[in-house]
Amino acid sequence: RVHGDGQLFSVTFDIAMNVSREDAAQVMESLVEALPRCDFIAFDGEFSGLYTANWRNGNMLDTFSTRYSHLQDAATNFTILQYGVCLFFWDDNEAAYVAQPYNFFLSPKGFEGLVERNFTVQASSFDFLASHNFDFNASFARGLPYLSHAEEKEIKRNRALREQIQQQRGEITFSRQEDKDYVESIQQKLQEFMADQPAPNAYIILDAVNGFLRRLIYQEVPKMRDDIAVDNNDEDNHEAIVNSSFLRRLRLTFVGSKEARDKKEEEKQKEKDKERDADLQEAIGFRRVIDAISASGKPIIGHNCMTDLVYTYQRFIAPLPPSIDKFTASIHSWFPILFDTKLMISISLVLSKKIPGSALGDAFRFTNKEAVNEDGTPVPLVPKISYDSANGFNRYLDSNDFQHEAAFDAYMTGALFVRLVWMLGRDRSHIANLHTTLSVPSSDQMSAAIAANVAMDIDSNAAEDPLIPLVNRVPAYGMVPSYFDFVHPNQDPARDHVLLLSGFNPGVQTSDVNTWIHALLSIHAATTITATATAITATATSASPADTKPPAPLKLLQSVVWVNEVNVLLAFIDHVTADRAFESIQDAQRTSQVPDKFIGAAVHRFSMYVDLCSTGKLPCKPRVSSEYIMSPRIAQVVAARGTKRALTDVNDTDIPAKRLQHETTSQEASK
């Protein structure tokens, strides 16, 4: 039983298990059978990393397009190590919710050489997981395989192509004497075998040979006799399989007639196709859970789940679409009812006033805080949530110390969702009928709206249902607007007031940027302030003396947002000021009136930042020798070589600036 400080829920964990490859089939079958009976499904993922470079961690001036490009980059480079799914059921007899959390370890293994995966590890993410007792062996040694729909389709296409090539390839021509001698030796063995008048299904086993000779046997034996079937049986090649040897034994079986041989070949092909299909289904693995959740049409609940959705799409559905709106339209077609508990707390005035923080653990603990009467007795809480440990599914019953285990986070997310719904004045009947009460548009309707770039009226009763503004939206952390919308087009906010300044010397501070830019804009600033003062004075003429205030100077450069050490975004008060700053910086460069710290700096429109985000190539200016910061590894390499060398294309994690173009000696490197 879960006991927090002031427990709100006592929960029945029917199944709280770590699912690995050995028990996956049975567990997934149980989950799929249970889906139609649940009210909703909460989910969560744990990943090998979140961003490939610090500048891809996002900032407040991102657009939907740039933020999506960062997520695309992460999802294609990192992988999912653990996926938590928690089903929530309503028990009428107990008037309680019952939770079934499933914790799936996933393995990024490939398939038949047709799918081979490489993935990146972010050291801080692995350190974080390790600090929360993540079992990496369970993922890599016993984790469930998976194939996306796109990968499955490609495998089937490649298999068909292989079969077509095999059917069309001609006979082997062999002229070497040793090959001829080998074929003659097989014919001699067959003659000796048949001389003993073998019974049907009697066989001989040939010595292990390579692939070329095996193909030769398949080709030549039918020419010798049409009542002999050639087989490559695993039971004859156990040792070779164990030792990963390419040499295999073949079995020659007497079947009595050509018809019997053809029938045996047909049966063998059917069995082979059946095994191949079974192998493919096993490789599809965990994706069957995602497919079943989608097919159920049940609401899915996440917490700050944009990353979870992007990784889910990339790993289990297909390569991510090129644009944010195509992605949201596709996700909506898979999961038509989506809630995010972090967004619910953040944008609902009712919830944000009641709950002090939107972090999952904090919000979960707060909503689990039990109310107390004046006499100290606990207040009965609604909804009642019962527990039953008799079934033996008690992994989480005695401790709350499982945060950041995917299934437990999924449970916290679902339990939090229940509490938020009740705080908004709704109850279980509303949750059970979300698919009708929300009147969610179809994916075709939403796709048409996105294509036409128009907003949709989700429900004319939005004012009467506090959940309407919260459905199918997830947080866009630190951005304005603050959420991704999965029903309406995601209009990129105007960024014509933002410039990208890049390539200046390392060591520049925000104060340096502010000082230089405001100096360049001093004439414009003075003009603007004078005009503002005149307007205020004119207004004050008709106002009482008490209402008169001196004009406040305008802050023309409103914010400086660092992308990395040598790239910064400048957000001005308006696009007119940004245009003036752009021209002023270029004028200063042409007249060589640039402060030393900004020599070599380049100014770009915001569209350049968008392009660089999509390509992953932000410009970085080389550091000079006296200021260059090397990692120990790079310093060791340069010192060991003791030669003049330029180091290029070094990862951001090794060297803050990407390129070192100056000459260095081993002595300088050691210093």
Side-chain angles (χ1 to χ4, degrees):
R1 187 168 185 171
V2 182
H3 288 289
D5 293 337
Q7 173 71 7
L8 177 63
F9 299 137
S10 58
V11 183
T12 302
F13 285 88
D14 281 341
I15 301 174
M17 60 174 63
N18 286 328
V19 186
S20 60
R21 202 175 303 165
E22 294 81 4
D23 49 21
Q26 180 180 356
V27 173
M28 287 193 292
E29 181 180 356
S30 172
L31 186 154
V32 171
E33 290 178 352
L35 278 171
R37 297 184 286 107
C38 75
D39 277 2
F40 64 90
I41 305 147
F43 70 104
D44 181 75
E46 301 296 337
F47 317 114
S48 69
L50 296 174
Y51 50 89
T52 56
N54 286 336
W55 65 268
R56 284 199 178 277
N57 196 17
N59 63 68
M60 61 181 288
L61 292 177
D62 278 340
T63 62
F64 290 114
S65 300
T66 55
R67 182 63 63 86
Y68 180 63
S69 73
H70 298 328
L71 292 167
Q72 278 182 300
D73 176 75
T76 53
N77 281 284
F78 300 115
T79 193
I80 305 175
L81 299 175
Q82 191 182 73
Y83 209 101
V85 175
C86 191
L87 279 56
F88 282 80
F89 304 84
W90 182 258
D91 185 340
D92 280 325
N93 294 329
E94 298 293 332
Y97 264 110
V98 178
Q100 292 187 355
Y102 298 78
N103 201 46
F104 293 94
F105 286 96
L106 303 183
S107 169
K109 62 179 292 187
F111 180 74
E112 290 187 352
L114 300 175
V115 172
E116 191 60 59
R117 296 190 180 98
N118 297 316
F119 68 94
T120 304
V121 170
Q122 187 175 5
S124 58
S125 291
F126 263 42
D127 182 63
F128 175 83
L129 292 174
S131 70
H132 289 87
N133 303 312
F134 187 87
D135 187 350
F136 293 96
N137 285 336
S139 258
F140 295 108
R142 304 186 301 278
L144 275 67
Y146 57 85
L147 292 174
S148 70
H149 281 275
E151 288 170 336
E152 180 189 0
K153 184 177 180 180
E154 183 66 13
I155 286 170
K156 290 179 177 178
R157 189 189 71 82
N158 283 326
R159 279 180 166 181
L161 184 60
R162 282 181 176 180
E163 291 176 359
Q164 182 181 356
I165 292 173
Q166 287 178 351
Q167 291 172 359
Q168 293 177 351
R169 67 184 182 182
E171 288 193 349
I172 303 174
T173 57
F174 54 99
S175 57
R176 295 189 311 167
Q177 188 60 45
E178 54 263 40
D179 295 333
K180 294 179 180 180
D181 292 342
Y182 180 74
V183 171
E184 289 179 3
S185 71
I186 299 301
Q187 187 168 18
Q188 181 65 31
K189 288 182 179 180
L190 267 179
Q191 290 173 351
E192 294 173 357
F193 173 58
M194 296 304 298
D196 294 334
Q197 298 181 346
N201 297 320
Y203 60 86
I204 58 173
I205 298 175
L206 305 180
D207 293 335
V209 292
N210 60 34
F212 173 78
L213 293 180
R214 290 199 300 273
R215 184 178 171 189
L216 205 56
I217 293 170
Y218 276 106
Q219 173 181 298
E220 297 300 316
V221 166
K223 298 177 183 178
M224 300 173 188
R225 295 190 65 95
D226 60 8
D227 54 1
I228 297 293
V230 183
D231 292 310
N232 183 357
N233 286 355
D234 287 347
E235 61 187 84
D236 299 332
N237 291 285
H238 176 73
E239 184 178 350
I241 293 172
V242 170
N243 295 326
S244 299
S245 172
F246 291 104
L247 303 180
R248 292 287 191 275
R249 295 186 178 95
L250 292 180
R251 178 183 294 194
L252 306 184
T253 303
F254 172 65
V255 294
S257 66
K258 181 180 184 300
E259 291 74 16
R261 185 195 67 183
D262 293 343
K263 183 178 180 181
K264 184 176 178 65
E265 293 292 334
E266 182 180 350
E267 291 174 349
K268 185 171 68 174
Q269 185 60 45
K270 287 181 179 179
E271 186 64 27
K272 182 179 179 181
D273 291 341
K274 184 178 179 180
E275 291 177 357
R276 280 155 48 98
D277 289 342
D279 290 343
L280 182 58
Q281 290 302 313
E282 182 180 355
I284 288 171
F286 175 74
R287 197 202 75 208
R288 285 185 287 163
V289 173
I290 302 298
D291 291 347
I293 291 173
S294 174
S296 74
K298 301 290 184 177
I300 64 168
I301 319 298
H303 185 90
N304 199 18
C305 65
M306 187 63 176
T307 299
D308 302 84
L309 292 170
V310 170
Y311 279 58
T312 296
Y313 194 102
Q314 175 70 25
R315 294 302 170 190
F316 307 127
I317 300 176
L320 287 161
S323 69
I324 177 62
D325 282 337
K326 289 183 178 180
F327 168 73
T328 54
S330 186
I331 281 289
H332 179 74
S333 69
W334 277 80
F335 310 108
I337 304 177
L338 165 66
F339 283 93
D340 188 294
T341 49
K342 184 178 182 69
L343 178 123
M344 292 174 71
I345 296 171
S346 300
I347 71 173
S348 167
L349 294 178
V350 173
L351 298 177
S352 60
K353 288 179 180 179
K354 292 182 178 180
I355 302 174
S358 63
L360 177 58
D362 294 339
F364 173 76
R365 283 185 288 272
F366 181 83
T367 55
N368 276 280
K369 192 174 183 179
E370 191 174 56
V372 179
N373 289 315
E374 292 182 0
D375 61 0
T377 59
V379 177
L381 295 168
V382 177
K384 177 185 176 183
I385 301 182
S386 64
Y387 79 97
D388 176 15
S389 59
N391 293 322
F393 304 108
N394 54 7
R395 176 172 173 78
Y396 302 138
L397 297 182
D398 297 324
S399 174
N400 263 337
D401 192 25
F402 286 96
Q403 196 166 342
H404 303 296
E405 182 169 289
F408 188 71
D409 283 3
Y411 159 69
M412 288 197 297
T413 299
L416 177 60
F417 174 71
V418 172
R419 295 310 307 146
L420 299 182
V421 171
W422 255 256
M423 287 180 180
L424 290 171
R426 294 298 185 263
D427 57 21
R428 186 265 164 171
S429 63
H430 197 82
I431 293 178
N433 296 289
L434 282 173
H435 61 287
T436 56
T437 58
L438 293 179
S439 300
V440 177
S442 70
S443 58
D444 291 339
Q445 289 174 317
M446 192 198 66
S447 298
I450 286 176
N453 204 31
V454 298
M456 293 187 68
D457 181 13
I458 302 180
D459 194 313
S460 58
N461 297 320
E464 302 175 7
D465 190 340
L467 290 179
I468 291 296
L470 308 178
V471 67
N472 291 324
R473 291 174 174 175
V474 302
Y477 176 74
M479 280 178 54
V480 179
S482 61
Y483 57 81
F484 292 97
D485 199 315
F486 286 73
V487 174
H488 306 84
N490 289 279
Q491 301 276 6
D492 274 342
R495 292 290 187 255
D496 54 1
H497 66 299
V498 180
L499 301 178
L500 172 66
L501 186 66
S502 65
F504 42 80
N505 288 327
V508 169
Q509 304 295 318
T510 301
S511 57
D512 299 324
V513 177
N514 275 306
T515 299
W516 183 42
I517 298 301
H518 279 103
L520 290 174
L521 294 174
S522 57
I523 298 176
H524 177 57
T527 303
T528 305
I529 293 171
T530 301
T532 303
T534 303
I536 292 176
T537 302
T539 303
T541 303
S542 58
S544 62
D547 295 331
T548 305
K549 296 181 180 179
L554 295 178
K555 186 178 180 182
L556 301 179
L557 179 57
Q558 290 195 314
S559 59
V560 176
V561 177
W562 288 87
V563 179
N564 58 25
E565 294 86 347
V566 288
N567 292 274
V568 68
L569 293 173
L570 310 175
F572 295 89
I573 193 170
D574 53 33
H575 72 90
V576 175
T577 308
D579 292 343
R580 179 63 60 87
F582 187 85
E583 296 168 0
S584 299
I585 294 172
Q586 290 190 326
D587 288 343
Q589 290 171 327
R590 282 193 292 268
T591 58
S592 299
Q593 296 181 355
V594 178
D596 290 344
K597 290 184 177 181
F598 294 95
I599 291 176
V603 63
H604 311 275
R605 300 291 185 182
F606 186 80
S607 58
M608 173 64 77
Y609 175 70
V610 175
D611 293 341
L612 293 171
C613 283
S614 63
T615 59
K617 297 178 181 178
L618 278 174
C620 291
K621 181 180 175 61
R623 295 178 183 269
V624 298
S625 176
S626 60
E627 296 180 342
Y628 203 84
I629 301 174
M630 282 189 175
S631 71
R633 180 177 67 82
I634 296 298
Q636 184 181 19
V637 169
V638 176
R641 288 174 176 171
T643 58
K644 297 180 179 181
R645 178 177 292 273
L647 298 178
T648 60
D649 295 330
V650 181
N651 290 334
D652 288 334
T653 53
D654 291 323
I655 299 180
K658 282 190 174 180
R659 299 188 184 277
L660 170 62
Q661 299 291 356
H662 69 281
E663 294 180 344
T664 182
T665 65
S666 59
Q667 182 179 5
E668 290 170 336
S670 299
K671 291 180 181 179

